Amino acid sequence: MTLALAGSEAAARLDKSLAAGIAGLNPDSLLVKSEFLFDIAAFLKDEPGLNFNYLVHITAIDYCDYFELVYHLVSLKHNHSLVIKTRCTDRKTPTIPSVVSLWRGAELQEREIFDLMGINFEGHPNMKRIFLWEGFQGHPLRKDFTDGS
Amino acid sequence: MALKTELFVINLGPLHPSTHGVFRMLATMDGEVIVELEPVFGYLHRGIEKLAENRTYKQNIPFTDRMDYIASMSNELSYVMAVEKLAGIQVPERAEYLRVIMAELQRIASHLIAVGSLANDLGAFQTPFLYMFRERERILDLFDMVCGQRLLYNYMRFGGVSHDIPDEFLPALKKLLKHFPGFIAEYDQLLADNEILLARTKGIGVLPKKLAISSSASGPVLRASGVKWDIRKADPYSVYDRFDFDIPTGSAGDCYDRYRVRIAEMYQSIRILNQAIEQLPSGNVLNKVPLRFRPPVGEAFAHIEAPKGELGFYIVSDGSEKPYRFHVRSSILINLTALRDMIIGWKLADAIVTFGSIDICLGEVDR
């Protein structure tokens, strides 16, 4: 059985320099500040005791007041998992650091989130729409999206 | 003196018989060698994730069928598991067994198409493909018996499955399982040592282990690269922990290994099916769920080992009748992340084989 780490458990094992990046602890996830996201993700991946070498998936949710990004991580070596979340309140040009340089698996998923939710990933090698065509107006998965009719 | 060459771009697809659907690749060629590749997605994008937000939880079950339509049962299973996790619904034991039976039959049916179309891409035009379809037909007959549908089943429900199996199902399944290993062996004998198949797949389209993990590959693609990771064993769901089976892996991560892993997985599915029939308990197959079904506020992620890889659903509920967010962890889209790395440096004909060996279904890639 994959052991799901609680937010507090993961936070306790984080490096001290990253403690400032923790924004909240949930029983099933760890909420981090977006500016610390990349450093925390890199630590989670490289720390031998945690070794989250496999990114299961990324998704984004539009809660109207803010966007929430959810990262499901798994360690194939230790068979444990962790959910990290981060939030972004800017609706006009929401920007989140890209994790493609850590996990290549994020490449198409970040493009999908950019396409459908309109979140920019800073540092992504090829940030453009994936499913909809260039020139499409708006981002359909946002709750305030209308097709103009 | 070296010959001066000029790069040129070849457009493959979106309508091309070897692209397994509406998939497009822009290949930049230096003579016969591909030096750059850009996959283009979205020709089958129907906005399923958005559509699902405007429908009730139950109405979304048939929607999931239309993602990877080669393996509809697996899609349904993953979705109902996510909603059951969200709402804390219990499933009767008999229904769990029926789900495993359907999921494993679906795996064989899907792998048959994968292997058959790989042979098709290699130039064994249609003959092996139709052999595979002939056998797949027998599995579809079984699905027809339980739910009256042959492709899009709408069989799973929250809290179980829609119908119990009819009396003629188990004898027919037993008959099929008896005949199936012989069929796979025969087919494998024809292909596995075939000189053309070996020459065209061995060492071609290699996905190194490190890149396979980093690019979040899953299913047979990940296992062919030598990673022993199968959700059925690593994070057992339903009643998979009660069965004895192995996880076949490859070592080279080339097209041939992906083919071998799929053949070996079919034998393992038969093993699971035989045990499931033996252990199948009696009892009801569907627990009552309120007609106006409203899961509590919260979120849940459930994943399964679908035929093509790890398929997961992430559902967010705001307490209403409709999901607030309906996200699909598509195994195939993510398996295509490393496509570029696997193809660059090879010839165009190898690109077709490599692409075919990943086993894709655009219904799930584009959603």
Side-chain angles (χ1 to χ4, degrees):
Chain A
M1 213 60 189
T2 305
L3 176 74
L5 292 189
S8 53
E9 230 171 309
R13 286 157 85 168
L14 275 186
D15 197 65
K16 275 189 198 110
S17 62
L18 298 168
I22 297 169
L25 299 172
N26 301 323
D28 55 356
S29 64
L30 174 70
L31 185 66
V32 303
K33 291 176 187 159
S34 63
E35 59 269 29
F36 282 85
L37 175 74
F38 186 86
D39 293 338
I40 289 179
F43 181 84
L44 291 172
K45 189 192 168 197
D46 296 333
E47 163 74 25
L50 294 164
N51 194 238
F52 286 104
N53 55 354
Y54 190 87
L55 174 71
V56 179
H57 77 133
I58 313 175
T59 188
I61 304 142
D62 181 6
Y63 283 112
C64 297
D65 297 333
Y66 56 88
F67 294 109
E68 188 165 271
L69 280 106
V70 183
Y71 297 72
H72 280 244
L73 308 175
V74 161
S75 165
L76 301 189
K77 192 172 158 210
H78 304 297
N79 199 3
H80 57 202
S81 68
L82 174 69
V83 180
I84 52 175
K85 295 182 176 176
T86 189
R87 286 176 184 174
C88 179
T89 46
D90 182 5
R91 278 194 88 80
K92 252 191 177 152
T93 48
T95 309
I96 296 280
S98 165
V99 294
V100 174
S101 54
L102 297 173
W103 298 286
R104 272 285 304 281
E107 193 179 312
L108 297 179
Q109 300 183 69
E110 287 183 352
R111 272 181 70 187
E112 183 185 337
I113 295 168
F114 169 74
D115 189 0
L116 303 176
M117 200 66 98
I119 294 168
N120 275 297
F121 288 90
E122 218 166 22
H124 189 285
N126 187 19
M127 192 84 275
K128 60 178 190 183
R129 286 192 184 268
I130 181 167
F131 294 144
L132 302 168
W133 55 97
E134 295 297 325
F136 184 89
Q137 293 296 312
H139 303 284
L141 280 180
R142 285 191 181 187
K143 289 290 174 184
D144 55 4
F145 173 79
T146 51
D147 60 359
S149 56
Chain B
M1 196 178 84
L3 215 61
K4 210 179 144 199
T5 57
E6 196 172 298
L7 300 183
F8 63 103
V9 177
I10 289 189
N11 176 53
L12 287 165
L15 294 169
H16 188 272
S18 66
T19 54
H20 303 250
V22 278
F23 184 72
R24 187 171 160 218
M25 291 191 274
L26 289 169
T28 308
M29 313 288 298
D30 178 7
E32 253 197 289
V33 178
I34 298 176
V35 292
E36 183 58 62
L37 183 100
E38 197 198 345
V40 184
F41 303 90
Y43 290 92
L44 201 59
H45 181 62
R46 295 150 292 177
I48 284 190
E49 291 187 5
K50 183 74 178 179
L51 288 168
E53 287 176 9
N54 295 308
R55 277 159 182 79
T56 63
Y57 285 90
K58 208 172 166 181
Q59 282 173 334
N60 282 328
I61 299 174
F63 255 107
T64 60
D65 282 338
R66 283 145 181 86
M67 293 185 342
D68 177 5
Y69 44 81
I70 305 291
S72 301
M73 284 286 186
S74 309
N75 303 346
E76 290 173 16
L77 176 59
S78 185
Y79 173 58
V80 297
M81 273 171 52
V83 176
E84 279 158 4
K85 202 169 164 186
L86 185 64
I89 300 169
Q90 296 299 316
V91 181
E93 208 182 5
R94 185 176 172 85
E96 292 279 26
Y97 275 89
L98 292 182
R99 285 177 176 189
V100 168
I101 290 174
M102 299 310 157
E104 291 308 316
L105 280 173
Q106 187 71 84
R107 187 182 318 279
I108 298 174
S110 172
H111 280 358
L112 284 176
I113 292 204
V115 172
S117 55
L118 176 69
N120 213 9
D121 290 341
L122 283 166
F125 194 58
Q126 298 301 5
T127 311
F129 197 49
L130 287 175
Y131 275 22
M132 298 283 124
F133 262 72
R134 185 187 68 194
E135 301 308 316
R136 176 174 173 264
E137 200 67 16
R138 298 173 204 263
I139 297 175
L140 298 194
D141 286 342
L142 290 175
F143 287 151
D144 196 356
M145 264 181 218
V146 293
C147 61
Q149 296 288 332
R150 301 175 66 80
L151 190 69
L152 308 163
Y153 310 108
N154 193 13
Y155 180 59
M156 310 275 175
R157 292 288 183 279
F158 309 132
V161 293
S162 69
H163 299 82
D164 202 346
I165 45 174
D167 294 338
E168 64 268 27
F169 180 84
L170 282 180
L173 176 59
K174 279 177 190 160
K175 203 174 143 202
L176 179 83
L177 291 178
K178 223 168 140 186
H179 133 103
F180 227 90
F183 161 72
I184 302 172
E186 184 194 350
Y187 188 79
D188 195 30
Q189 194 188 1
L190 288 172
L191 278 182
D193 299 326
N194 182 300
E195 206 181 322
I196 301 174
L197 186 123
L198 288 175
R200 293 287 310 277
T201 56
K202 276 232 162 186
I204 310 283
V206 176
L207 179 66
K209 188 174 174 177
K210 212 174 156 194
L211 180 62
I213 296 173
S214 158
S215 69
S216 304
S218 57
V221 178
L222 178 70
R223 288 191 286 274
S225 295
V227 185
K228 207 169 181 162
W229 183 260
D230 186 314
I231 312 291
R232 291 174 294 174
K233 284 268 193 208
D235 191 13
Y237 51 92
S238 196
V239 285
Y240 273 107
D241 49 354
R242 301 183 195 175
F243 306 121
D244 183 27
F245 64 99
D246 301 323
I247 308 172
T249 54
S251 51
D254 55 7
C255 295
Y256 185 72
D257 275 6
R258 287 190 276 278
Y259 160 79
R260 294 259 23 125
V261 164
R262 289 198 178 98
I263 293 279
E265 274 185 11
M266 285 196 253
Y267 286 116
Q268 297 305 323
S269 290
I270 292 168
R271 267 178 83 185
I272 297 173
L273 282 164
N274 279 321
Q275 294 169 56
I277 296 173
E278 217 165 86
Q279 299 175 15
L280 183 67
S282 54
N284 73 324
V285 295
L286 184 61
N287 280 342
K288 278 240 177 310
V289 171
L291 205 57
R292 287 171 69 85
F293 171 59
R294 288 193 176 109
V297 179
E299 56 197 51
F301 176 69
H303 58 173
I304 67 161
E305 188 66 38
K308 295 177 176 69
E310 179 179 355
L311 175 68
F313 280 81
Y314 183 74
I315 310 287
V316 179
S317 163
D318 60 351
S320 74
E321 287 176 327
K322 298 168 184 171
Y324 186 78
R325 178 82 171 92
F326 176 99
H327 172 75
V328 186
R329 190 265 185 223
S330 162
S331 52
I332 314 169
L333 175 74
I334 298 172
N335 279 353
L336 285 174
T337 307
L339 179 71
R340 201 176 146 269
D341 306 66
M342 288 155 79
I343 285 181
I344 284 182
W346 294 95
K347 297 202 168 93
L348 192 63
D350 299 325
I352 304 292
V353 180
T354 306
F355 182 66
S357 74
I358 296 175
D359 184 19
I360 71 150
C361 176
L362 266 299
E364 191 186 297
V365 174
D366 291 343
R367 273 158 283 146

